Amino acid sequence: MHLPDMSSLSPTARVILGLLTFRPRTGYDIKQATDRSTRFFWGASYGQIYPELRRLERAGLVASHEEPRGQVPRRVYRLTEDGRLAFESWLSEPTDQYEVRDEGLLRLFFGDAMSAAQLEELMRRRQEWYRETAALFRRIGEEIGPIEDLGGHVLRYGIELMEWNADWWERLEREL
Amino acid sequence: MHLPDMSSLSPTARVILGLLTFRPRTGYDIKQATDRSTRFFWGASYGQIYPELRRLERAGLVASHEEPRGQVPRRVYRLTEDGRLAFESWLSEPTDQYEVRDEGLLRLFFGDAMSAAQLEELMRRRQEWYRETAALFRRIGEEIGPIEDLGGHVLRYGIELMEWNADWWERLEREL
DNA sequence: TAGGCCATGTAAAAAGTTACATGATTTT
DNA sequence: AAAATCATGTAACTTTTTACATGGCCTA
């Protein structure tokens, strides 16, 4: 058995393999799962998921079988032994990749070209958005119940990060 | 005069126009500036910058002239009136785009597939990295002196966000 | 005189989004 | 009976990265 080449695991591949460590899933199911969980720190669209699943199957990291629901064709993917090894190997790699893409922050950076009223509105809007997003995360948390697995901690991270951001913009507004 | 189409301003175009609001720059200079300032919330590579500058010039948002240093060809770009209008129009658009891409967080999310020792190492590494990055940002802050413009506030945001993240992982470690 | 910085660019590949197309099943 | 959800996919496009190629200028 030759070890699968891990350096070729694309970001999307990592999310897919990760979600398959919990249980076998269809492409549709993977999309739903990313939308509900990893979306804010690593999303995926159908345009990536379906082709990537086929690539992963060719590479032997996942395997699939048909499982139609009535007339509806349906293909369920599961992790192979090679897939699990490749994923676990990625899990223990040291990586520092971290990136924030925040348009509000970019606007603030160039804010000297803004009027005072515009700046005011930006600060207000950002606070609102962060509070709303924190509330959305909280609702998701209530749906899935008390924190048990590590996914729960990540959700709590999301809530706290959104609150921190809202507070930061509030502080900025008071300062200016 | 017809208004330039702002919906076609790519993310890279916005950073370029934004940096040109301060002063005229060469492509190389723009790259240096993004590396030193916007990198962590909006970066750009040469492969985007040079082609984008030509697109922007064709669209009339920037203008350039040659300014060689000895034998070295050198082209300096500046914002046109249309470019300034397009950029200011973007500045006041309402946008909520926000994204975090954090590999450490992704690993934590799938951390049930990790051993206790692996998880331990992840938490330690992340704290280290956030503390180091906060220190790096602080050094940059010392170089550019006291906070005067809004760019200084964005730098302070970066420092505080890195500290918050380090603290979060420290708290997590104590909990587990 | 060597190394680092300034300077410009391209080609190819990788990654990701958006819009479209289709239709069955399940729930209200 | 209608609406929502489950389900699969593609094509075109946009965006971004990576690797390569080139060479002058400045300073220790």
Side-chain angles (χ1 to χ4, degrees), chain A residues 102 105 130 164-165 168, chain B residues 153-161:
Chain A
D102 185 336
L105 211 55
Y130 284 121
W164 183 86
N165 272 294
W168 190 86
Chain B
H153 286 284
V154 173
L155 180 61
R156 207 198 53 192
Y157 173 92
I159 296 169
E160 291 173 9
L161 178 62

Side-chain angles (χ1 to χ4, degrees), chain A:
Chain A
M1 189 186 79
H2 76 103
L3 275 180
D5 180 13
M6 292 140 323
S7 62
S8 68
L9 278 194
S10 70
T12 302
R14 300 191 293 239
V15 175
I16 291 177
L17 294 184
L19 288 171
L20 291 181
T21 61
F22 297 117
R23 58 179 170 78
R25 297 171 193 262
T26 65
Y28 181 84
D29 190 11
I30 287 169
K31 172 76 166 111
Q32 300 311 302
T34 59
D35 283 352
R36 284 186 208 124
S37 60
T38 64
R39 174 169 43 133
F40 285 88
F41 56 92
W42 226 291
S45 64
Y46 288 127
Q48 298 164 262
I49 291 170
Y50 286 110
E52 187 64 47
L53 279 170
R54 284 195 296 274
R55 268 195 294 279
L56 288 171
E57 185 157 37
R58 272 203 306 282
L61 304 187
V62 304
S64 71
H65 68 278
E66 279 179 50
E67 208 172 283
R69 287 259 207 272
Q71 300 305 103
V72 179
R74 197 158 158 279
R75 183 167 287 274
V76 180
Y77 291 85
R78 64 173 178 80
L79 215 55
T80 63
E81 198 48 41
D82 271 7
R84 190 168 293 274
L85 283 173
F87 184 71
E88 279 170 12
S89 160
W90 169 73
L91 267 186
S92 63
E93 266 174 44
T95 321
D96 301 329
Q97 231 187 289
Y98 178 87
E99 217 181 299
V100 184
R101 295 228 139 184
D102 185 336
E103 278 205 17
L105 211 55
L106 192 65
R107 286 195 172 84
L108 181 65
F109 186 76
F110 296 125
D112 295 306
M114 262 190 264
S115 71
Q118 271 182 315
L119 190 58
E120 189 87 24
E121 211 201 319
L122 174 64
M123 294 188 291
R124 212 181 24 70
R125 270 206 318 257
R126 284 273 92 183
Q127 283 175 60
E128 245 170 59
W129 186 83
Y130 284 121
R131 299 273 180 229
E132 278 163 20
T133 308
L136 170 67
F137 287 178
R138 267 210 195 79
R139 277 197 302 279
I140 293 173
E142 277 156 26
E143 273 171 41
I144 64 173
I147 293 176
E148 271 160 12
D149 56 6
L150 292 171
H153 286 285
V154 174
L155 179 62
R156 207 198 52 193
Y157 173 93
I159 296 169
E160 291 172 9
L161 178 62
M162 294 303 109
E163 293 287 11
W164 183 86
N165 272 294
D167 291 345
W168 190 86
W169 283 90
E170 204 183 310
R171 253 184 297 146
L172 180 72
E173 200 183 355
R174 276 200 305 271
E175 273 179 45
L176 295 180

